[in-house]
Amino acid sequence: MTSHLLLFEDDESAAYVTLKRLKASGFTVSVDVVRDGMEAIAYLTCQGGYKNRTTGNPSLILLDLKLPELDGFEVLKLIRTNPALSAIPIFILSASNTEEDKYRSALLGVSKYLIKPLDMHEFEMEATKVFSPSTPSSPSLH
């Protein structure tokens, strides 16, 4: 399976800005976007409109906390308790900079907590650990 990133973002403008920042920085991994918590779970478990998805698990998830249907914390709990998904690195990408949200995220096993808008330097430093440049088939971050 090819490496790809999954962006959970309900705000179209925020998704657009994030995708533009990724592209402008030379990020070449394919990115799928889901708009709410229920769609996220359907995507990850290959159900509903995603039952024929063949891309495998994402190499990295960028998760917004404020999602309709199921919020980001609920999605995070479901991912971390599913053995088939629990090892996927998850970066929170949120407008919330509260210590409570950071603490709850840490308790639920996030890999990194990033504040919107996406700081590409900080993202690249962390994403490089996921998409290791030492692997011949790894995607480019530049």
Side-chain angles (χ1 to χ4, degrees):
M1 297 292 162
T2 60
S3 295
H4 68 285
L5 183 145
L6 180 58
L7 172 63
F8 295 30
E9 177 58 71
D10 64 311
D11 182 295
E12 283 190 42
S13 297
Y16 176 80
V17 169
T18 299
L19 292 171
K20 290 295 273 184
R21 285 178 182 240
L22 289 169
K23 186 174 183 179
S25 74
F27 191 77
T28 60
V29 173
S30 81
V31 179
D32 292 330
V33 180
V34 294
R35 304 286 179 190
D36 64 54
M38 295 302 289
E39 183 184 3
I41 297 305
Y43 179 98
L44 289 168
T45 58
C46 297
Q47 296 177 0
Y50 297 101
K51 67 181 175 191
N52 295 322
R53 183 175 66 81
T54 60
T55 53
N57 285 341
S59 302
L60 174 64
I61 293 173
L62 282 178
L63 174 62
D64 186 12
L65 292 177
K66 311 297 187 229
L67 295 171
E69 305 293 326
L70 289 175
D71 72 14
F73 291 115
E74 291 300 316
V75 172
L76 184 54
K77 284 181 209 171
L78 290 167
I79 292 170
R80 289 301 184 228
T81 58
N82 182 325
L85 305 172
S86 64
I88 300 171
I90 299 174
F91 292 2
I92 297 297
L93 181 58
S94 179
S96 172
N97 196 15
T98 69
E99 291 305 314
E100 179 183 356
D101 284 347
K102 291 177 182 178
Y103 180 74
R104 285 180 68 193
S105 298
L107 286 177
L108 292 168
V110 298
S111 304
K112 185 69 179 172
Y113 195 103
L114 303 167
I115 305 298
K116 291 179 185 175
L118 182 60
D119 177 316
M120 286 310 302
H121 176 71
E122 184 178 15
F123 173 77
E124 286 178 4
M125 285 180 13
E126 295 299 323
T128 298
K129 297 172 188 173
V130 175
F131 302 111
S132 174
S134 62
T135 306
S137 62
S138 62
S140 172
L141 290 175
H142 296 335

